[in-house]
Amino acid sequence: MNDIVKRHGSLPQTLAADTTYGNGELLQWLDDRGIAAYIRVKENPNGPTDLYGIDQFTYIPEENCYLCPVGKILKYIGINARNRTHVYHSTVKRCRDCLQKSRCTRGKYRTLAIHTCEPARQRAHALAQTPAFAISQRARRKVEALFAELKNYIGLRRLRLRRMRFVREQFYLAATVQNLKRLVRFLSSKPTPKLATA
Ligand code: SF4
């Protein structure tokens, strides 16, 4: 990104990528720099489920806890370093006689895993529902098609020389070839002008 700032004077306003890049840390990094992330959010820390989602629980910031749909408290337990989530849970006693239990948990009590970068994930999720997201994905595919052509048809799967200036030269040459191919295709597809008849 430093290179981009040096060259263009500022960071991009948006960034489009595929779901592989939709992890919380990258989304947070982009968010911190004011870059709108047109990337689908990757993993759901709670896994795919038909049980009550996070949106059914109310966060109480003063006490750093959640209230469940029937008003019971889920207390903060700590961070799970393995999947980078804040963990909250209820207790067996609170959930035992709950009428909503079958819709809330398959265990003895409900646990919530909130990603440490959840706000950035939520923002990216909301952006993915906008028309701008679809436009950015179309633009992304056009660019990626050029890179695929470079790799698969022009042989730029690997670079022969190291160091940035040599890498740049190889890319410029390959891009020149790519543009020449396009030019030939464009010129050969032009309709032949009709001869004027008397
Ligand atoms: S099962 Fe527990 S956490 Fe879920 S709604 Fe009932 S009391 Fe609340």
Side-chain angles (χ1 to χ4, degrees):
M1 281 286 177
N2 284 345
D3 254 17
I4 294 175
V5 175
K6 259 191 225 158
R7 188 170 293 195
H8 301 285
S10 63
L11 287 172
Q13 292 178 342
T14 66
L15 189 138
D18 63 44
T19 316
T20 317
Y21 298 93
N23 64 70
E25 285 72 16
L26 179 62
L27 297 173
Q28 184 67 58
W29 190 91
L30 293 169
D31 212 44
D32 292 343
R33 285 156 185 80
I35 303 172
Y38 290 125
I39 308 173
R40 280 194 202 288
V41 182
K42 198 158 89 179
E43 81 276 19
N44 173 5
N46 294 292
T49 174
D50 53 351
L51 301 171
Y52 284 152
I54 295 172
D55 51 326
Q56 304 284 332
F57 293 77
T58 312
Y59 184 58
I60 310 292
E62 301 80 35
E63 297 181 30
N64 188 21
C65 69
Y66 277 84
L67 289 185
C68 74
V70 299
K72 299 280 172 70
I73 287 180
L74 281 82
K75 281 193 178 164
Y76 184 58
I77 302 304
I79 289 186
N80 178 345
R82 194 175 49 81
N83 62 0
R84 303 175 306 280
T85 55
H86 294 291
V87 181
Y88 296 79
H89 70 61
S90 179
T91 61
V92 179
K93 193 175 164 192
R94 280 182 214 134
C95 295
R96 188 184 295 133
D97 301 320
C98 175
L99 297 176
Q100 306 283 328
K101 196 170 172 201
S102 62
R103 298 170 66 190
C104 186
T105 177
R106 293 192 184 91
K108 292 185 175 168
Y109 57 87
R110 175 67 194 249
T111 302
L112 271 186
I114 312 290
H115 200 285
T116 47
C117 304
E118 190 60 27
R121 284 163 45 87
Q122 292 294 338
R123 275 190 281 281
H125 184 68
L127 272 180
Q129 320 301 320
T130 62
F133 179 84
I135 294 169
S136 79
Q137 293 302 298
R138 277 201 292 279
R140 174 176 73 80
R141 282 190 206 105
K142 276 187 197 166
V143 174
E144 285 184 354
L146 293 175
F147 279 100
E149 187 184 15
L150 283 174
K151 272 165 63 179
N152 299 327
Y153 296 105
I154 300 181
L156 205 69
R157 189 163 282 277
R158 283 175 182 222
L159 296 164
R160 285 177 185 277
L161 303 172
R162 294 183 191 175
R163 299 181 68 179
M164 191 53 91
R165 64 194 171 103
F166 297 130
V167 167
R168 199 171 288 135
E169 272 176 18
Q170 290 168 90
F171 260 98
Y172 281 153
L173 283 172
T176 305
V177 171
Q178 206 168 23
N179 284 333
L180 283 173
K181 279 179 68 185
R182 273 183 171 58
L183 185 63
V184 169
R185 204 177 308 146
F186 172 72
L187 291 176
S188 57
S189 67
K190 270 181 107 177
T192 352
K194 283 185 187 158
L195 290 175
T197 49

